[in-house]
Amino acid sequence: MTQQSTIFALATAPGKAGVAVVRLSGPQVLATLAALTGRTDWQPRMAVYAAIRHPHTQAIIDRGLALYFPAPHSFTGEEVAELHLHGSLAVIRELLDVLAGQPGLRLAERGEFTRRAFINSKMDLVEAEGLADLIEAETSAQKTQALRQMQGQMSRFYDDLRGRALQSLALIEAYIDFPDEEIPESVLADFRDSLQGLSDAIGAQLADSGRAQRVREGLSVVILGEPNAGKSSLLNALAGREAAIVSQQAGTTRDIIEVHMDIAGYPTVLMDTAGLRESVDSIEEEGVKRALARAREADITLILFDGTQGLPDSVAALAGEHSILVATKADLGGVVPAGALSLSTHTGEGVEALVAALEARVVSFFSGAEQSFITRARHRGLLQEAQQHLQRARAEHLPLELVAEELRRGALLVGKITGKIAVDDVLGAIFSQFCIGK
Ligand SMILES: Nc1nc2c(ncn2[C@@H]2O[C@H](COP(=O)(O)OP(=O)(O)O)[C@@H](O)[C@H]2O)c(=O)[nH]1
Ligand SMILES: [Mg+2]
């Protein structure tokens, strides 16, 4: 049997800093601590101030704190140690070199600490993804959701679904095993009810407008309008920087320019698009095509028109319930139709009101997002497949053997979400998204 290697990595961001943390996990942890510090009297989770020395030359690498977390009460469930040293490039390089030279030690791969935590049942896949999201979180809503997921709120939902499916399966299998027993009608009716309930719970999540997924990825806000309507100027005004080129020359913006913004604590992706017009230029024409495609997928569209020119019918036609109509260049005068906002990026008037209107839309889109559990396309895909099997299982007059088979497949698919049924390629895809040291 090959012994599990002991892995190590810089757990803090690389670069100069006050403190750097190097983490180790695996069977050689205590031996390594002894080799580096000469000490063997480690108390669980007690920080010890020590000189960290080169094991052969005894030259001091740095002085710092060392902590020991005995298995299984550690992040990975294995023997773990942390070394808190000065965040110096030279110190870190020397320590990592020394560790690499120790027998049985090697640098961790991306996400390998978390992968080991999963293998040792410290967390399931959905919780591990929550941890990845927490590290990626930039807005407060992302942080709150990631913490909920990391602490098992989404996992409980999936575990409950799987448990209910397995219970129904057990019931059906009992009947299959005892074919001579008379099945009371009421029991079958209960069974059908519980399948219905299961399917409804999944259906409610699938029917959600993707709020939890948008918390991770950002709500899309697309700016649309004719050339020179002032779209790029507005994007820059909202972003507070010159992200897009502003020009009197029509057709300047061709590709889509994205700016990530925090609106009321929620992540949004603001997109500037090519002006909508008939074009002889094939690149611009492609830009217009992309603009319209993005607008169809957008959560919110800002429909802009030059207030001095009025709202063209072709632009008004793009407005839907997710749109905000905006007359631009208010400093030049013009008439604003009812229901539209009016602003000028040159004087700044009306920009605050637009931001307030956007905030209100964003907050209302996300309200109740904590009832929404699907945070990733991976979860949605598996849940959709599971739902298809459950719906087939509910077909009238389906032989019980086939009902059981559909239920088994449904439960299996739900199990894949949390990793109750783990497939190696799925694990690779998930843990490779982590940084080294996590
Ligand atoms: N007077 C005035 N001109 C503006 C305003 N916003 C944009 N413009 C001008 O309108 C022209 C087109 O602006 P731009 O943002 O590039 O429009 P886009 O083609 O829709 O992206 C530029 O010359 C801008 O300086 C505004 O609020 N007031
Ligand atoms: Mg533009």
Side-chain angles (χ1 to χ4, degrees):
M1 207 181 94
T2 54
Q3 177 125 4
Q4 173 89 304
S5 53
T6 297
I7 52 173
F8 64 89
L10 180 65
T12 42
K16 298 176 190 181
V19 176
V21 177
V22 170
R23 177 143 72 172
L24 297 94
S25 179
Q28 292 302 312
V29 154
L30 278 177
T32 307
L33 282 177
L36 293 174
T37 65
R39 306 179 64 136
T40 52
D41 54 337
W42 296 94
Q43 298 294 316
R45 298 172 296 279
M46 293 279 284
V48 171
Y49 182 62
I52 311 292
R53 293 174 188 271
H54 193 294
H56 303 312
T57 66
Q58 297 302 311
I60 289 190
I61 299 170
D62 193 9
R63 288 179 204 277
L65 294 181
L67 287 102
Y68 166 57
F69 303 83
H73 305 293
S74 68
F75 175 71
T76 59
E78 302 177 331
E79 299 278 283
V80 165
E82 283 182 9
L83 299 170
H84 298 212
L85 304 177
H86 294 102
S88 138
L89 296 179
V91 166
I92 294 162
R93 190 176 310 127
E94 206 175 312
L95 179 64
L96 294 181
D97 280 350
V98 163
L99 290 176
Q102 289 292 105
L105 263 64
R106 66 167 171 80
L107 194 64
E109 290 164 17
R110 277 178 174 278
E112 199 172 2
F113 287 92
T114 313
R115 187 179 183 130
R116 289 187 176 190
F118 167 73
I119 301 287
N120 293 323
S121 304
K122 285 286 176 176
M123 59 179 80
D124 69 23
L125 281 188
V126 172
E127 288 161 357
E129 286 169 329
L131 171 59
D133 288 350
L134 181 66
I135 292 168
E136 291 292 323
E138 289 181 351
T139 69
S140 77
Q142 289 176 320
K143 188 213 71 170
T144 305
Q145 176 167 291
L147 275 175
R148 281 200 297 129
Q149 183 166 336
M150 212 182 108
Q151 288 162 0
Q153 195 164 327
M154 283 65 166
S155 303
R156 276 193 288 282
F157 170 72
Y158 295 120
D159 288 346
D160 173 62
L161 289 181
R162 180 162 173 270
R164 284 158 68 183
L166 290 178
Q167 245 174 6
S168 298
L169 178 61
L171 191 74
I172 285 299
E173 281 178 334
Y175 283 127
I176 295 171
D177 290 344
F178 303 100
D180 298 334
E181 307 280 321
E182 191 68 4
I183 306 175
E185 270 307 308
S186 70
V187 172
L188 266 192
D190 283 352
F191 167 77
R192 299 230 169 257
D193 281 354
S194 82
L195 267 195
Q196 169 91 52
L198 198 56
S199 193
D200 287 351
I202 295 178
Q205 285 301 319
L206 289 174
D208 186 90
S209 55
R211 287 174 295 183
Q213 210 170 328
R214 291 297 200 298
V215 168
R216 287 187 64 240
E217 295 164 3
L219 195 72
S220 61
V221 181
V222 172
I223 305 178
L224 282 178
E226 291 188 331
N228 275 334
K231 299 180 296 299
S232 298
S233 302
L234 180 63
L235 177 97
N236 290 342
L238 293 175
R241 63 189 166 93
E242 305 289 301
I245 300 169
V246 171
S247 163
Q248 277 184 342
Q249 204 178 327
T252 309
T253 311
R254 290 167 161 192
D255 213 341
I256 290 166
I257 293 172
E258 294 188 356
V259 174
H260 291 251
M261 285 177 57
D262 179 334
I263 296 185
Y266 293 101
T268 55
V269 186
L270 188 63
M271 285 175 257
D272 183 19
T273 60
L276 306 169
R277 65 167 177 184
E278 297 285 325
S279 173
V280 281
D281 177 339
S282 66
I283 298 177
E284 191 184 339
E285 194 177 272
E286 177 60 26
V288 171
K289 243 196 242 164
R290 288 184 191 187
L292 291 171
R294 279 303 167 92
R296 276 191 294 275
E297 297 164 8
D299 297 308
I300 297 173
T301 51
L302 298 182
I303 303 209
L304 267 55
F305 60 97
D306 186 331
T308 63
Q309 312 276 314
L311 174 62
D313 289 341
S314 60
V315 174
L318 297 170
E321 58 173 317
H322 303 303
S323 306
I324 301 177
L325 271 178
V326 182
T328 58
K329 310 188 188 181
D331 54 297
L332 301 180
V335 190
V336 180
L341 296 175
S342 165
L343 58 79
S344 163
T345 53
H346 282 194
T347 64
E349 68 172 293
V351 174
E352 280 302 311
L354 173 65
V355 170
L358 254 181
E359 272 188 16
R361 297 278 182 126
V362 169
V363 168
S364 112
F365 179 91
F366 283 113
S367 76
E370 58 285 348
Q371 301 304 318
S372 162
F373 297 127
I374 303 177
T375 55
R376 290 180 183 241
R378 187 182 80 82
H379 308 171
R380 180 176 295 276
L382 287 166
L383 217 46
Q384 266 163 350
E385 271 188 77
Q387 180 75 318
Q388 286 166 7
H389 288 293
L390 290 182
Q391 273 162 356
R392 270 184 238 146
R394 289 169 56 209
E396 292 283 329
H397 311 303
L398 191 68
L400 289 186
E401 282 80 2
L402 296 184
V403 171
E405 185 53 25
E406 296 294 355
L407 258 176
R408 195 172 297 119
R409 290 189 185 192
L412 187 85
L413 287 158
V414 175
K416 279 187 181 176
I417 301 176
T418 51
K420 295 293 177 292
I421 317 287
V423 199
D424 244 15
D425 54 342
V426 179
L427 298 189
I430 291 170
F431 292 108
S432 62
Q433 297 165 14
F434 280 84
C435 39
I436 293 171
K438 249 297 152 204

